[in-house]
Amino acid sequence: MSILSILEPASTTTPRPAIARLATGSIPATVGSDLLVPLADGRVTDYANFDHGASAPCLESVRASVEAALPSYASVHRGNGYASRITTQWYERARAEVHAFVGARADDQVIFTRQTTDALNLLARAVPVDATVIVFESEHHAALLPWPAERTVRLAAPSSPAEAVTRVADALRQAPEGPRLVVITGASNVTGEIFPIADIAKVAKAHGARVCLDAAQLAPHRPVDIATLDVDWVALSGHKLYAPYGAGALIGRSDWLDAADPYLHGGGATHAVTSDTVVWTTGPARHEGGSPNVIGAIALASACAAISKHRDAIEQHERSLLARLRAGLAQIDNVTTYSIFGEDADRVGTVCFTVAGLTSTLVSAALSAEYGIGVRDGKFCAHPLVGHLLSGSPEHGTAVRASLGLGTTREHVDRLVDAVRTLATSGPRTEYTENAHGCQPADDPRDLQAPRIW
Ligand SMILES: Cc1ncc(COP(=O)(O)O)c(C=O)c1O
């Protein structure tokens, strides 16, 4: 009997919380879509969020699911009271929802983690000691750094999807005997470009290698299907999937994970403990030591359900905004956009650019202070890739990243393009001070202190 059937409430008279129903509109609504932000000239404007690639706003339906769960919030797998039974049931249902969201195979595990970084570090601890890991230098640091340096082969950033496949094939041909793991991002967090995951997985399989997909940037924007892509693990983050409640997941094959030392030694990960022995359990619980983040898991599952339901509308919304943004920026002199594979590459809604004569920090500060636009500037935790992309632009050590999503509107795109045009042609409207801690208007009337909200 499954845990779900054991825990199903016995009668229809059992009190049930109000369950959030998903909005059926074209794209799911986000919390804070009416946020007003102050400008340096004293006006306020609605916030134009172009920082989804860092952390996406919460979905209204996710917030509703969390609110529905809170009245009966209790321990998971640790109590027989009604509330514990319901909460445990939600936790396991969340696992099933995430499993379905990535098209996992029946015997794949879903392990709840904190985020993608945590998920990839967990897998890195489970990689067999004689395994070779192959990874592109273009990866986010979370996918680049967890692997043992002496057994990791780093490949230079490819210049086309075909070259990515060839580079992996060449590296696998030269790899020593033994287990191999290819780590590949689904979509670049710097340029949004989509990597040829299925082709790389095919080559990997032909060489007996396994594949781990970093889906942090892909999953919020495009379907990820483990079985179709033929990858072995997928890592993702709830906070990039419109579920900012501290949960992510590692989904995939159980053998390496069940053979590995538990990620956290403690309660929940054990099968039996005596005064001098411990037998660790297998399955997801092995690596979920301690009380789990059930609210995070529920939020993540709720987001997965909403995104799956609205997948086509989300993709259409983002494709049209991205096309408008790229076309707008392409017409501005003095703006350079950066790409790994070239202009025609398929990509999610992320654009990386610089403005001649202005530092990226100044551009992002002016976009915020003068236009109410939130972007990110820097090297985006992908230092080798940004170094590679900017190698032809010695003036710039960092870039600006605009990443759109469900919190972005057409007006936001037009505002961003107009703002970048004004900055590129006339510069900022006010004086800025720039130092190691950042950049802000020299005479900034905005109150940027966050009031205490508890
Ligand atoms: C492609 C990619 N992988 C991994 C990560 C790490 O995600 P997190 O910070 O949620 O662990 C990020 C974060 O930006 C990312 O963009």
Side-chain angles (χ1 to χ4, degrees):
M1 194 184 281
S2 77
I3 193 163
L4 299 187
S5 52
I6 294 168
L7 296 173
E8 200 60 56
S11 93
T12 51
T13 57
T14 306
R16 306 301 302 267
I19 305 292
R21 295 282 164 233
L22 299 177
T24 50
S26 57
I27 57 166
T30 55
V31 177
S33 56
D34 53 357
L35 177 69
L36 295 176
V37 294
L39 300 178
D41 63 5
R43 290 179 302 137
V44 293
T45 187
D46 77 302
Y47 185 54
N49 185 347
F50 282 94
D51 206 11
H52 290 71
S55 285
C58 187
L59 288 187
E60 287 284 8
S61 57
V62 167
R63 176 161 77 176
S65 297
V66 167
E67 279 173 9
L70 286 176
S72 58
Y73 169 75
S75 62
V76 170
H77 297 150
R78 283 160 172 79
N80 232 343
Y82 174 79
S84 288
R85 291 163 65 103
I86 292 295
T87 303
T88 301
Q89 189 181 155
W90 276 330
Y91 189 61
E92 294 305 328
R93 284 193 170 169
R95 208 187 290 288
E97 187 77 51
V98 174
H99 189 277
F101 179 68
V102 294
R105 296 156 291 237
D107 54 354
D108 283 334
Q109 296 187 359
V110 173
I111 302 175
F112 286 115
T113 63
R114 288 174 291 187
Q115 15 56 355
T116 304
T117 303
D118 200 28
L120 294 173
N121 274 270
L122 163 58
L123 183 61
R125 298 245 197 117
V127 168
V129 289
D130 56 341
T132 303
V133 180
I134 294 170
V135 59
F136 281 106
E137 264 191 352
S138 45
E139 297 290 332
H140 186 282
H141 296 169
L144 184 67
L145 301 178
W147 323 104
E150 65 286 1
R151 289 185 285 112
T152 300
V153 178
R154 281 200 189 173
L155 308 178
S159 59
S160 68
E163 191 178 275
V165 180
T166 315
R167 288 239 166 109
V168 170
D170 290 346
L172 284 167
R173 263 191 292 277
Q174 290 162 26
E177 284 301 310
R180 294 109 180 256
L181 175 69
V182 177
V183 181
I184 183 85
T185 194
S188 164
N189 70 304
V190 177
T191 67
E193 286 160 282
I194 294 179
F195 275 66
I197 309 153
D199 293 340
I200 286 176
K202 200 166 166 194
V203 158
K205 296 299 147 96
H207 289 83
R210 295 189 176 198
V211 178
C212 172
L213 172 64
D214 171 358
Q217 295 293 338
L218 187 65
H221 308 290
R222 300 288 176 86
V224 170
D225 191 81
I226 289 190
T228 310
L229 294 171
D230 199 13
V231 298
D232 298 277
W233 291 278
V234 167
L236 49 79
S237 294
H239 73 101
K240 295 187 194 293
L241 267 166
Y242 305 93
Y245 288 84
L250 177 68
I251 308 112
R253 299 205 186 275
S254 56
D255 52 355
W256 287 5
L257 291 158
D258 279 345
D261 195 42
Y263 195 41
L264 293 173
H265 289 194
T270 54
H271 176 66
V273 181
T274 66
S275 48
D276 50 10
T277 64
V278 53
V279 179
W280 300 108
T281 191
T282 54
R286 185 181 184 84
H287 297 294
E288 291 181 352
S291 298
N293 175 8
V294 57
I295 294 298
I298 288 168
L300 175 56
S302 176
C304 289
I307 290 169
S308 300
K309 181 173 176 185
H310 297 271
R311 188 58 97 177
D312 290 348
I314 292 171
E315 219 177 298
Q316 211 182 329
H317 168 77
E318 294 181 354
R319 277 188 193 278
S320 109
L321 293 183
L322 178 63
R324 197 173 178 89
L325 175 58
R326 294 184 71 221
L329 292 178
Q331 298 202 332
I332 306 173
D333 289 341
N334 296 334
V335 168
T336 306
T337 54
Y338 297 90
S339 163
I340 305 171
F341 298 144
E343 287 307 306
D344 295 337
D346 191 12
R347 62 193 77 216
V348 301
T350 296
V351 179
C352 175
F353 65 95
T354 53
V355 180
L358 302 178
T359 66
S360 300
T361 313
L362 176 56
V363 172
S364 74
L367 288 174
S368 171
E370 299 178 26
Y371 303 92
I373 295 170
V375 295
R376 185 169 167 193
D377 68 279
K379 295 185 183 179
F380 321 116
C381 299
H383 291 189
L385 175 60
V386 173
H388 166 72
L389 293 174
L390 297 184
S391 58
S393 310
E395 179 196 358
H396 294 287
T398 60
V400 180
R401 180 183 76 178
S403 51
L404 56 83
L406 294 175
T408 314
T409 67
R410 208 168 136 133
E411 184 279 321
H412 294 163
V413 170
D414 293 346
R415 198 192 316 169
L416 175 59
V417 171
D418 287 347
V420 173
R421 185 182 298 108
T422 306
L423 285 168
T425 49
S426 324
R429 292 176 179 144
T430 185
E431 288 288 308
Y432 285 77
T433 53
E434 194 168 345
N435 57 35
H437 304 296
C439 183
Q440 64 183 76
D443 188 15
D444 195 345
R446 297 173 298 165
D447 180 3
L448 296 176
Q449 297 303 311
R452 187 185 282 240
I453 50 174
W454 50 88

